[in-house]
Amino acid sequence: MITVIFAYYVEVLGNVRTKESFVLRVIGADTCKCVNDVPLDLIKKRIEETQLFRDVKVDLINDTVYIFLKEFWYIWPYPVIDYSFDVGLSLGLGVIHTNFRGNGENLSGYFMMGARRSWEIMWNTPNYRFFKNSVGFGIGSSGYYSLIYQIPIHKTWVEGVYNTKLSENLRMQLKIRGVSVKSDSFGIEDIFSENSVIVFKDTRDWILYPQRGYTLKSGIYEYFGNFVARKFEFYYEGFKSLNDLTFVIFGGYTHLFGYPPLYLLPNFMGTDDALRGGIPKRRVVGKTRYLVSFEMRKVLAKEFPDIIGRFVSGGFGISVFTDFGGVDTTMGISIGLGVPIFSSLGGYLPAVVYNTRYGFQTYIGGIVRIK
């Protein structure tokens, strides 16, 4: 049963670092701390989608909506470890602040030394689907030996991003990225800009574990500089629930026009939206990439056991899936059994996968590929 509230006063409790004005903005309250015609479950889901709170409770008492929050610790240091037999060992340290200034901003940075030498600093205002605008800025540098292209590469970049809400379920992203790519061993020295326009359509009922609705992403990328090229992308993910089962279909298509350098060609395996099957040493590259996936999920528990639930909210289920895709004329198929986990920290999908090209492998990645 859905309870709807009409112009009720809002009281936010339990927020220590998070500003009350930010929480009110998330739920769509006005400057007088009132909400109009908003279901209580929608208020709860909106706050949970920020992934800033380990527990959220919403109650209607008399004429007041009470929002009880339990916050995370928002500053997280983490080690950076990268090792392979082909490249060697790299070590580093990173820090991320997921609620900078109490407004849901994300500030992060890391550095890594060794076989791979890189650093990056990123900042962005919250880019939630129910916010009107957001901006971001990033700068970084990386030097490594590319196993995909078998050449040493040093890349430096700076980027700016602007997101805006066009309508209830439609958003647009504008990005400008300046890139410098060098490889002294192969005489490569390219300086170019990557300008993109991406449109998102999102009707999912809940981002952390959708059970109905769909997401659609379409984008055009223009590359200008020492060369000129254009890339087109299209992705779709739909959700439909019957009783306690959720069926998911995913499709993606990418095509690169012109004569771009090798390092811009889309690689098949080892990317977030590729077949779920680990990261094999031999990669496939090309101008055209296509992906299709079918999945069936069932929720086993809507809440974690107490030993975990006291620190983070969420639940888990079980899923079976099959993925089909390819780059140019090369194709592959994966089938797998996984445990989808949805939590206030995000979604994850530990799985055992059999791939027709690489055999049995494990996968630990996002439960939802498109966001």
Side-chain angles (χ1 to χ4, degrees):
M1 181 178 178
I2 297 178
T3 302
V4 179
I5 54 182
F6 300 91
Y8 285 161
Y9 184 76
V10 177
E11 190 69 43
V12 181
L13 303 172
N15 57 308
V16 178
R17 301 174 184 87
T18 308
K19 293 182 179 178
E20 182 183 76
S21 58
F22 172 76
V23 179
L24 296 174
R25 183 184 173 199
V26 168
I27 67 173
D30 58 26
T31 55
C32 297
K33 297 177 62 174
C34 292
V35 289
N36 298 276
D37 302 335
V38 182
L40 290 182
D41 66 329
L42 180 59
I43 289 178
K44 185 173 187 295
K45 284 184 175 181
R46 277 193 172 188
I47 297 175
E48 288 174 337
E49 284 187 8
T50 67
Q51 299 179 26
L52 295 178
F53 308 98
R54 60 186 176 91
D55 191 32
V56 179
K57 289 184 173 62
V58 180
D59 287 327
L60 177 61
I61 302 176
N62 297 325
D63 294 331
T64 303
V65 175
Y66 289 91
I67 300 175
F68 302 92
L69 304 173
K70 291 184 179 180
E71 295 184 329
F72 286 118
W73 177 257
Y74 295 119
I75 304 175
W76 301 93
Y78 60 92
V80 180
I81 303 174
D82 185 281
Y83 176 77
S84 73
F85 291 106
D86 302 89
V87 177
L89 177 65
S90 303
L91 298 174
L93 179 68
V95 178
I96 182 170
H97 196 315
T98 58
N99 194 8
F100 186 57
R101 300 194 304 175
N103 287 316
E105 297 167 87
N106 194 303
L107 179 65
S108 64
Y110 82 90
F111 73 92
M112 183 166 61
M113 302 295 291
R116 299 176 185 268
R117 304 167 304 281
S118 61
W119 60 270
E120 181 181 76
I121 299 174
M122 301 287 293
W123 167 84
N124 63 273
T125 61
N127 181 27
Y128 308 130
R129 55 182 177 171
F130 36 80
F131 274 13
K132 176 62 178 176
N133 300 306
S134 71
V135 295
F137 175 80
I139 185 172
S141 178
S142 180
Y144 58 96
Y145 184 84
S146 173
L147 292 178
I148 302 176
Y149 313 119
Q150 299 297 305
I151 58 176
I153 289 179
H154 185 272
K155 181 169 63 174
T156 303
W157 69 93
V158 59
E159 68 178 34
V161 184
Y162 171 71
N163 295 274
T164 186
K165 185 177 179 181
L166 302 178
S167 64
E168 182 63 27
N169 298 312
L170 191 65
R171 293 183 298 129
M172 179 177 66
Q173 179 189 92
L174 304 176
K175 179 187 289 188
I176 299 177
R177 196 168 195 252
V179 184
S180 172
V181 176
K182 294 183 179 181
S183 178
D184 295 335
S185 301
F186 287 78
I188 296 174
E189 187 172 357
D190 283 331
I191 299 177
F192 61 95
S193 66
E194 175 187 339
N195 311 299
S196 60
V197 179
I198 307 173
V199 177
F200 303 85
K201 182 73 180 289
D202 190 347
T203 66
R204 289 174 292 174
D205 59 329
W206 192 35
I207 282 183
L208 298 183
Y209 194 89
Q211 294 184 292
R212 62 186 61 87
Y214 67 88
T215 60
L216 184 150
K217 170 187 173 184
S218 181
I220 296 178
Y221 304 75
E222 298 274 4
Y223 301 91
F224 298 101
N226 295 15
F227 60 90
V228 177
R230 177 178 296 172
K231 181 172 68 174
F232 171 77
E233 286 189 346
F234 176 85
Y235 291 102
Y236 173 86
E237 194 160 13
F239 304 85
K240 178 67 176 179
S241 293
L242 298 175
N243 297 323
D244 57 351
L245 295 178
T246 300
F247 298 89
V248 186
I249 180 172
F250 168 83
Y253 176 82
T254 300
H255 187 79
L256 196 57
F257 299 89
Y259 298 95
L262 180 65
Y263 48 80
L264 279 188
L265 298 179
N267 58 299
F268 181 31
M269 305 297 284
T271 57
D272 291 339
D273 58 352
L275 297 187
R276 293 176 275 203
I279 306 178
K281 295 179 182 178
R282 291 185 297 170
R283 313 291 182 94
V284 180
V285 297
K287 285 190 174 183
T288 303
R289 179 175 61 191
Y290 50 92
L291 303 165
V292 178
S293 176
F294 299 93
E295 182 176 352
M296 182 174 66
R297 303 173 183 170
K298 176 180 173 63
V299 175
L300 298 180
K302 295 184 178 180
E303 296 182 359
F304 290 133
D306 289 342
I307 191 172
I308 300 175
R310 67 182 62 183
F311 302 105
V312 57
S313 61
F316 60 91
I318 188 170
S319 73
V320 292
F321 56 83
T322 178
D323 301 322
F324 170 85
V327 169
D328 293 346
T329 59
T330 304
M331 296 182 295
I333 300 175
S334 291
I335 57 174
L337 176 66
V339 180
I341 300 171
F342 53 98
S343 75
S344 49
L345 291 176
Y348 306 92
L349 182 64
V352 176
V353 182
Y354 176 78
N355 183 270
T356 54
R357 290 175 57 86
Y358 304 103
F360 281 100
Q361 300 181 11
T362 57
Y363 170 87
I364 301 177
I367 189 174
V368 179
R369 297 187 189 83
I370 302 178
K371 297 193 176 182

